[in-house]
Amino acid sequence: MALAATPARVVTLAPHLAELVCAAGACDRLVAVGEFTDYPEQAAKLPKIADAHGVNAEALLAQKPDLVLVWDGGTPQSALDALAKLSVPVRSLKVRRLDEIATAIEQIGDWLGTAPVAKAAAQEFRAGLSRLAARYAQSRKLRVMYQIENNPIYSVNRLSPISQAINVCGGINVFGELPQLAAPVSREAVMAENPDVIVFARQDKVADILDDWSRWQELKAVRENHLFSVNADLLARAAPRMLQGIEELCGVLDMARIRP
């Protein structure tokens, strides 16, 4: 459907989409968001009308949106099918590369009439990313595994922004060739890759992860105590705060480089 001249009531169906809208200078246009949206505070307080299983059509329509933003590759097909039946204006945003975060902010700015603010935010992100890339360009390469969950273990391939963050920090994603953006990996596969560093989310069960890996002393990362937790809300959400997540990731890789 065609958009209103300047959409005034915006719904986002993923946490990072709300952050992108706010970065583009349109936080006050948000009227409802997806589950787990917790930043910024203004967005966190809004009604949650969608989760990983779908969208609450009645709650969505009650907000009378003139734009619904969905995540290309992340919003469930069931939610997309429901939106198609509701005849509400929908636009999709795809962010698979770090530089596409800035592009997405600019696109939202064009849609919502906040282009000057959006362009400034996009430029700030690009500049921050360039500074980090330059700072770590000559760092010693480390083979890194990014772990999602524990039983089963998932990791990400080279198309994930997380994998690109690893590259920025002078790391090499050992599971870059996985067939899917995120896919399960066995402990035997981890043994075969034998990463220098294992990084996982602070939001996961850290004690259980450390306990499980402690039984695999053959792994270099375990033997050398190169097991690090990071804030996944910063690193895994394709929004401007990802710069903070990348900086934290680069910091733990530096710790691995100097830790005896």
Side-chain angles (χ1 to χ4, degrees), residues 142-223:
L142 293 173
R143 290 169 47 77
V144 180
M145 170 191 165
Y146 186 81
Q147 177 178 349
I148 302 171
E149 301 181 359
N150 198 36
N151 287 305
I153 296 170
Y154 278 72
S155 192
V156 296
N157 72 11
R158 68 186 184 282
L159 299 179
S160 166
I162 296 174
S163 182
Q164 293 158 38
I166 291 171
N167 297 153
V168 168
C169 297
I172 300 167
N173 177 11
V174 298
F175 286 113
E177 299 307 314
L178 286 176
Q180 298 169 262
L181 194 66
V185 296
S186 67
R187 292 187 187 272
E188 289 72 23
V190 179
M191 287 292 296
E193 294 294 343
N194 199 23
D196 299 309
V197 181
I198 297 175
V199 180
F200 48 88
R202 192 169 299 135
Q203 287 82 351
D204 288 340
K205 296 178 180 178
V206 172
D208 290 347
I209 292 173
L210 293 174
D211 183 61
D212 285 349
W213 284 124
S214 69
R215 301 178 178 87
W216 296 74
Q217 291 296 320
E218 304 94 328
L219 274 174
K220 182 177 182 181
V222 175
R223 189 171 62 251

Side-chain angles (χ1 to χ4, degrees), residues 108-132:
I108 292 170
D110 289 342
W111 286 333
L112 301 184
T114 59
V117 175
K119 288 184 182 300
Q123 183 55 39
E124 183 179 353
F125 179 84
R126 291 188 179 105
L129 187 60
S130 294
R131 284 194 296 269
L132 284 170

Side-chain angles (χ1 to χ4, degrees), residues 19-29 105 108-109 112-114 117-118 121:
E19 294 192 33
L20 290 170
V21 169
C22 291
C27 219
D28 58 339
R29 312 278 185 90
I105 296 171
I108 292 170
L112 301 184
T114 59
V117 175

Side-chain angles (χ1 to χ4, degrees), residues 9-12 18 21-22 26-38 40-49 63:
R9 299 183 63 81
V10 180
V11 171
T12 55
V21 169
C22 291
C27 219
D28 58 339
R29 312 278 185 90
L30 287 172
V31 294
V33 295
E35 189 74 14
F36 303 117
T37 299
D38 56 10
E41 185 178 356
Q42 183 176 346
K45 295 177 179 178
L46 295 172
K48 309 293 195 297
I49 52 85
Q63 297 298 331

